[in-house]
Amino acid sequence: MKKYLITSKEFYTNNSESFCSILQKQFKKHKPHYALYRDKLNKNYDKQAADFVKTCSEFENIKSFIHQNTKLAKELNATGIHLTSTQFEEIESAKELGLEVIVSTHTYMEVLQAQKLGADAVTYSPIFSSPGKGEPKGIDDLKKLLNICDIKVFALGGIVEKAQIDLIAKTKAYGFASIRYFQ
């Protein structure tokens, strides 16, 4: 099962040196296959995104993704872009730029739309209880979704312990994505 590490400003700081050091330690400890730079409020977003992509490139098996900004992802030579559920119209242009595309989804309809538009994968959330993310969907709902779609699905939301990952591993999910599990 694939692991998708998502950064958080609360954990990774705005200091470039500290950010890269913490990121390297987490990559060595958890060995994720995918990593997303996500920090909506960082005034130095472009600089830290560049540090993020550079740090990912130091690890042979980590695909780097930038949140929301397709142009920046291409400029930084990131592996891909992680789009929000309001950015479906950007899937095609991101693919034309040679970027892998992951889309945040919260309903079956969004998952199927991302699949139809050519996204490479989706995150589907929240699977477990997660602060401020609404009612958790649960493992049974995830299993039902996986029976009706062909796109790669990362389970996301409230994943903080190995027992939850073990439950996800018993489904056909491509992997899991988390912020807190990797902290």
Side-chain angles (χ1 to χ4, degrees):
M1 182 166 51
K2 302 295 182 184
K3 299 181 225 174
Y4 189 11
L5 180 148
I6 301 172
T7 65
S8 166
K9 67 179 178 68
E10 292 81 18
F11 182 68
Y12 289 93
T13 82
N14 282 328
N15 175 286
S16 181
E17 190 175 309
S18 294
F19 172 77
C20 292
S21 176
I22 292 168
L23 198 57
Q24 288 169 340
K25 287 176 187 169
Q26 297 305 64
F27 286 172
K28 288 174 185 173
K29 178 179 178 181
H30 295 287
K31 298 177 180 42
H33 304 93
Y34 294 74
L36 170 62
Y37 178 65
R38 180 178 177 270
D39 185 350
K40 298 176 185 179
L41 302 176
N42 188 338
K43 293 176 184 169
N44 298 313
Y45 187 92
D46 292 6
K47 166 74 172 103
Q48 197 158 25
D51 290 340
F52 171 82
V53 171
K54 181 181 179 295
T55 302
C56 288
S57 72
E58 296 168 6
F59 293 81
E60 190 176 317
N61 297 315
I62 298 177
K63 293 184 176 190
S64 59
F65 285 77
I66 300 297
H67 191 245
Q68 294 184 292
N69 190 331
T70 302
K71 182 180 173 191
L72 182 62
K74 182 64 179 173
E75 286 173 9
L76 296 177
N77 203 27
T79 305
I81 182 75
H82 187 120
L83 301 172
T84 70
S85 59
T86 63
Q87 293 182 290
F88 284 99
E89 73 284 350
E90 293 185 38
I91 294 171
E92 183 178 352
S93 60
K95 295 298 291 176
E96 288 172 358
L97 290 173
L99 296 169
E100 287 187 32
V101 177
I102 299 175
V103 180
S104 293
T105 63
H106 309 91
T107 66
Y108 290 8
M109 191 165 85
E110 288 176 345
V111 171
L112 295 173
Q113 182 179 7
Q115 176 179 296
K116 180 180 177 183
L117 294 172
D120 297 287
V122 297
T123 56
Y124 181 66
S125 69
I127 301 303
F128 302 105
S129 182
S130 189
K133 300 298 181 184
E135 188 69 27
K137 297 180 182 317
I139 292 294
D140 288 340
D141 182 75
L142 175 63
K143 287 178 182 177
K144 288 176 188 172
L145 168 69
L146 295 169
N147 285 326
I148 64 166
C149 70
D150 295 317
I151 194 167
K152 296 173 184 171
V153 176
F154 288 97
L156 171 66
I159 300 166
V160 295
E161 57 190 42
K162 186 173 179 330
Q164 294 166 314
I165 295 165
D166 292 342
L167 289 172
I168 294 166
K170 293 177 183 175
T171 73
K172 294 188 281 183
Y174 181 69
F176 76 95
S178 182
I179 295 172
R180 293 179 294 156
Y181 177 80
F182 295 109
Q183 292 181 355

